[in-house]
């Protein structure tokens, strides 16, 4: 019972921290990134495109983007992501030329764990990147990253990632790490057969992983 309470409190702390750290992430942006944003703002100063962006006129902004070159599209995508103007991100992405990839931007987001706009870019990233990012999510206990990629995971892949995640739970004695891995496991659980989830529960009982077995019981009921 005491272990379950500790586990629940740990999950709550992680949730609160993610809500606090998420909005603060731009504060920790590199000087180079800040300089890049300032340059973009200056280069498009007083243009109709920038005016519609700054005055929050998405429909006019979309019209102004009609004949914009790729460089301008990429600049405003960077701007919208940095300034958390999420409504403008899909508008810009729709205008990107066929075959355009957001791999570099997405890679930076994963590296800096600044994932607020990652969901918009996932469909514009290379499939070869997804497994690498999912491996990072599993190894680091990063549920936010795993959730962002969940739609790209097949049932067969989910089985492998769930297996690795449970191994990580077994390999750590730290409660807070078990909590992190459990939240990652929860991302893959809906893709697993009910029978398989029950097998994980039985194995957790056998292995003495009471915190994880209690967690599964809550999710299965």
């Amino acid at each position: 019972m005491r272990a379950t309470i500790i586990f629940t409190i740990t999950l709550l702390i992680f949730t609160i921290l993610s809500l606090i750290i998420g909005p603060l992430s731009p504060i920790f942006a590199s000087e180079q990134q800040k300089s890049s944003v300032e340059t973009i703002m200056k280069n498009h100063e007083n243009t109709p495109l920038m005016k519609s962006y700054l005055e929050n006129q998405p429909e006019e902004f979309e019209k102004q983007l009609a004949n914009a070159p790729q460089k301008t599209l990429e600049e405003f995508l960077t701007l919208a992501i940095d300034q958390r103007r999420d409504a403008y991100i899909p508008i810009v992405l729709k205008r990107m030329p066929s075959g355009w990839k957001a791999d570099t931007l997405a890679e930076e987001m994963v590296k800096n764990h600044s994932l607020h706009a990652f969901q918009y870019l996932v469909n514009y990233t290379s499939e070869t990147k997804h497994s690498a990012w999912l491996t990072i999510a599993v190894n680091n206990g990063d549920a936010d990253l795993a959730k962002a990629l969940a739609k790209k995971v097949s049932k067969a892949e989910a089985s492998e990632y769930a297996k690795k995640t449970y191994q990580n739970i077994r390999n750590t004695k730290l409660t807070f790490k078990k909590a992190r891995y459990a939240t990652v496991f929860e991302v893959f659980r809906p893709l697993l057969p009910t029978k398989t989830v029950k097998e994980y529960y039985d194995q957790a009982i056998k292995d003495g992983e009471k915190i994880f077995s209690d967690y599964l019981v809550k999710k299965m009921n």
Side-chain angles (χ1 to χ4, degrees), residues 1-11 175 210-215 218:
M1 183 66 176
R2 184 171 177 273
T4 303
I5 292 172
I6 293 173
F7 179 77
T8 304
I9 292 172
T10 304
L11 281 179
T175 300
K210 188 176 187 305
I211 292 175
F212 183 60
S213 61
D214 288 349
Y215 179 80
K218 289 180 181 179

Side-chain angles (χ1 to χ4, degrees), residues 45-129:
E45 190 176 11
N46 297 325
T47 63
L49 183 58
M50 181 61 78
K51 184 174 182 292
S52 62
Y53 173 80
L54 293 176
E55 294 181 359
N56 198 25
Q57 299 174 339
E59 291 182 3
E60 180 60 27
F61 177 77
E62 187 165 9
K63 289 178 183 177
Q64 293 294 333
L65 276 182
N67 298 310
Q70 182 175 323
K71 183 175 184 294
T72 297
L73 293 172
E74 290 176 346
E75 287 176 338
F76 273 89
L77 179 61
T78 299
L79 200 60
I81 291 172
D82 180 82
Q83 297 181 341
R84 291 180 175 264
R85 302 285 295 278
D86 287 9
Y88 289 82
I89 296 172
I91 294 175
V92 177
L93 288 172
K94 281 193 300 184
R95 295 288 181 178
M96 287 298 184
S98 177
W100 179 84
K101 295 295 181 184
D103 290 350
T104 302
L105 272 173
E107 195 78 60
E108 280 299 308
M109 289 181 177
V110 172
K111 180 181 176 182
N112 298 324
H113 197 264
S114 179
L115 302 172
H116 74 278
F118 192 86
Q119 59 180 314
Y120 300 108
L121 301 185
V122 169
N123 290 334
Y124 296 87
T125 55
S126 304
E127 289 186 9
T128 53
K129 295 282 187 179

Side-chain angles (χ1 to χ4, degrees), residues 17-29 84 114:
L17 285 175
S18 66
L19 291 173
I20 294 173
I21 294 172
L24 289 179
S25 59
I27 295 175
F28 303 105
R84 291 180 175 264
S114 179

Side-chain angles (χ1 to χ4, degrees), residues 155-210:
K155 290 183 178 181
E157 290 171 329
S159 177
E160 289 302 311
Y161 289 126
K163 181 180 178 181
K164 175 60 179 173
T165 303
Y166 183 70
Q167 288 174 353
N168 289 338
I169 290 171
R170 293 286 294 133
N171 290 337
T172 183
K173 294 181 179 180
L174 300 175
T175 300
F176 82 93
K177 281 194 174 182
K178 289 181 185 293
R180 289 177 63 169
Y181 291 134
T183 58
V184 172
F185 187 93
E186 177 57 22
V187 174
F188 305 121
R189 183 185 62 82
L191 296 171
L192 303 175
T194 302
K195 180 184 176 183
T196 301
V197 177
K198 179 64 168 58
E199 288 171 352
Y200 271 107
Y201 171 77
D202 292 340
Q203 188 63 45
I205 293 291
K206 181 180 177 181
D207 293 336
E209 293 290 350
K210 188 176 187 305

